[in-house]
């Protein structure tokens, strides 16, 4: 595994990586594909996967350009509210969710439907509220106003 891959994996909480690995594992273990060869699902999966990757990379790139951390366990140095962050407060997580939905389309395996659902629930109940509390403690009213103006997901 290259140094860049190791560095990327250490930037996100362990449960995110475990969730993505579990999604792949579920997909591989779930018997025969139920819609294998469905051109529409393959096209949708490829499109969603590309959109998710671009969204994730664009959002992370914007954080890097303004000089703040992409590590969700660390308090950011800057409150980013422009660009893609003017449309969604969590474009990186939205990108990850799109990648998981793309996996459902591409693998065509019923149990992979659990992956995006579990990811969404965990993000909404655990990770995002913890991040929002940290960011609100750091930026106060500016973040509160941003939360009113921009939705969590879309």
């Amino acid at each position: 595994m290259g140094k860049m891959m190791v560095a990327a994996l250490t930037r996100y909480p362990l449960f995110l990586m475990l969730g993505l690995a579990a999604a792949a594992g579920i997909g591989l273990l779930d018997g025969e594909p139920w819609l294998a060869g469905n051109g529409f699902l393959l096209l949708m999966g490829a499109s969603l996967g590309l959109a998710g990757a671009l969204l994730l990379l664009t959002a992370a790139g914007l954080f890097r350009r303004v000089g703040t951390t992409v590590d969700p366990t660390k308090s950011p140095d800057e409150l980013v509210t422009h660009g893609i962050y003017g449309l969604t407060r969590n474009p990186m997580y939205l990108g990850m969710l799109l990648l998981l939905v793309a996996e459902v389309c591409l693998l065509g395996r019923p149990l992979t439907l659990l992956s995006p659902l579990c990811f969404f629930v965990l993000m909404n109940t655990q990770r995002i509220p913890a991040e929002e509390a940290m960011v609100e403690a750091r930026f106060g009213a500016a973040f509160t106003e941003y939360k009113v103006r921009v939705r969590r997901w879309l």
Side-chain angles (χ1 to χ4, degrees):
M1 193 180 291
K3 289 181 183 177
M4 286 181 55
M5 179 62 88
V6 171
L9 290 175
T10 60
R11 288 194 176 110
Y12 296 99
L14 181 60
F15 78 90
L16 285 179
M17 293 300 112
L18 290 174
L20 293 172
I26 288 171
L28 294 173
L29 295 175
D30 185 31
E32 290 299 314
W34 53 303
L35 292 172
N38 182 314
F40 174 75
L41 280 183
L42 294 176
L43 180 61
M44 180 172 294
S47 299
L48 289 172
L50 180 61
L54 288 173
L55 188 58
L56 183 57
L57 293 171
T58 299
L62 185 54
F63 263 35
R64 290 191 194 291
R65 276 194 298 285
V66 300
T68 196
T69 182
V70 296
D71 184 340
T73 64
K74 295 182 181 171
S75 183
D77 298 318
E78 299 287 331
L79 180 60
V80 181
T81 61
H82 61 284
I84 192 67
Y85 289 90
L87 301 173
T88 172
R89 295 195 316 258
N90 296 287
M92 287 186 243
Y93 293 144
L94 182 57
M96 291 177 197
L97 182 62
L98 288 175
L99 288 170
L100 289 171
V101 174
E103 179 184 42
V104 172
C105 295
L106 293 171
L107 292 178
R109 297 177 186 273
L111 280 180
T112 57
L113 292 168
L114 293 174
S115 301
L117 178 62
C118 290
F119 179 83
F120 182 79
V121 169
L122 280 173
M123 292 298 102
N124 264 336
T125 62
Q126 303 298 311
R127 184 73 252 148
I128 293 173
E131 285 180 36
E132 287 179 342
M134 180 173 46
V135 174
E136 192 159 16
R138 172 80 192 248
F139 296 104
F143 182 70
T144 302
E145 185 275 325
Y146 174 62
K147 278 183 14 178
V148 169
R149 190 170 41 86
V150 177
R151 291 179 181 221
R152 181 179 274 180
W153 290 95
L154 280 180

